[in-house]
Amino acid sequence: MSIAHNGPRWLGVTAAALLLATAVPAPAQAKLDPGGPPIEITQTWVAPQCPLQRIERQLVHCDSLTGAGVLAPLWVPGQ
């Protein structure tokens, strides 16, 4: 009759547990950006001036549907 020896199994489980316990990631560290030479802007972009409106119950801004499909409130002016 032989008796099973569970020593190596427990040793492996213990080693894996210790490895996982000590292998936590280090906290992130933020550093200030020293900056560089200023960027020269040659063109400017101006946003179109169009108000938010609704068509039936859909929000529209500059001929583009917006609002992610949420019903537009009735107080928003309609087209």
Side-chain angles (χ1 to χ4, degrees), residues 21-51:
T22 58
V24 294
Q29 296 179 0
K31 295 181 182 178
L32 290 175
D33 184 14
I39 299 172
E40 189 174 320
I41 299 175
T42 56
Q43 295 179 347
T44 58
W45 182 77
V46 178
Q49 300 295 324
C50 52

